[in-house]
Amino acid sequence: MRLRLPEERPTEPPTGHKIAHPVLSQDGTRAGFTGVSLGGALPYGVVADASCVYGLRHRPPHRRCDCGFHSVHDRTVAEALLCGSEHRTALLLEVSVLGAYIRFEHGFRSARQRVRTATAGPCACGTAAAALADAGWGRPGWRVLAPSCAGCLRGRIAVSLAQFARLAGDGLRVRAAGGTAAPAAGADTGTAQGLGVPELVAEAALLQARLDWFQTQLARLGRPGAEGPAQG
Ligand SMILES: [Zn+2]
Ligand SMILES: [Zn+2]
């Protein structure tokens, strides 16, 4: 006889919380996430199906494996993970737990998930994040990003929070939390669709910061062709 756990049939998918690093594809056209531990090598999109991280031929979440999307019930438990030194720049995700799932004391392991909201902590300088910028490491084909304010972007590859939401698609919301206020900081930067005034102000601030940096670099190179148009 095989013992079975009672099956749940919720009317709405349960909500889970987790942390993950935001990633941007090498060509800059796709955005997603990569887990902080198990499964960290496999970037996933906003709506995704789990595959067994050990390459076993079973459907996650398998009872005798630990594959599937992991999440916890309690947001503060997920938030606590962000204190770990290697997780400081990860985002806090709120997910819908979809498909078959196994519920345990602290959370879920599921076949499928939808990331509803991603929350970016402050820039390393303490200012609220306005963008997600190249963190200096990644996976093959994917750059890992980290929260950055406009002032700390410099020449790094970066996307605004709203751009990240657009590239990731599927109605993802990306917001900034914590840190000292910057223009439009803390505002919900909207979904993949409609940008409002705060989002456009934030985009303009980013562009201005980029332009300032660019002009500083140009100035450093001197002013070639000051006596007339450059030849060649
Ligand atoms: Zn497995
Ligand atoms: Zn900064």
Side-chain angles (χ1 to χ4, degrees), residues 52 54 56 58 62 65 67:
C52 180
Y54 303 106
L56 298 176
H58 56 219
H62 195 269
C65 195
C67 54

Side-chain angles (χ1 to χ4, degrees), residues 27-44:
D27 62 4
T29 60
R30 287 177 300 150
F33 300 96
T34 186
V36 295
S37 53
L38 191 75
L42 302 168
Y44 56 85

Side-chain angles (χ1 to χ4, degrees), residues 19-22 36 81-92 119-124 132-133 135 137 144-148:
I19 63 172
H21 293 288
V36 295
L81 296 173
L82 293 172
C83 296
S85 47
E86 69 276 37
H87 302 152
R88 285 289 170 106
T89 61
L91 307 189
L92 184 66
T119 304
C123 177
L132 296 170
W137 60 286
V144 170
L145 307 176
S148 175

Side-chain angles (χ1 to χ4, degrees), residues 133-216:
D134 191 351
W137 60 286
R139 317 278 185 208
W142 296 90
R143 286 174 223 278
V144 170
L145 307 176
S148 175
C149 71
C152 293
L153 280 183
R154 302 176 187 281
R156 280 185 296 164
I157 286 173
V159 288
S160 69
L161 302 186
Q163 274 175 324
F164 185 87
R166 271 200 301 280
L167 292 175
D170 283 320
L172 175 72
R173 300 183 77 85
V174 184
R175 52 190 296 276
T180 52
D188 195 317
T189 53
T191 61
Q193 286 84 39
L195 293 180
V197 171
E199 294 79 46
L200 291 172
V201 169
E203 297 273 341
L206 277 184
L207 286 174
Q208 188 59 54
R210 282 265 160 134
L211 193 57
D212 289 347
W213 178 85
F214 183 71
Q215 284 174 333
T216 308

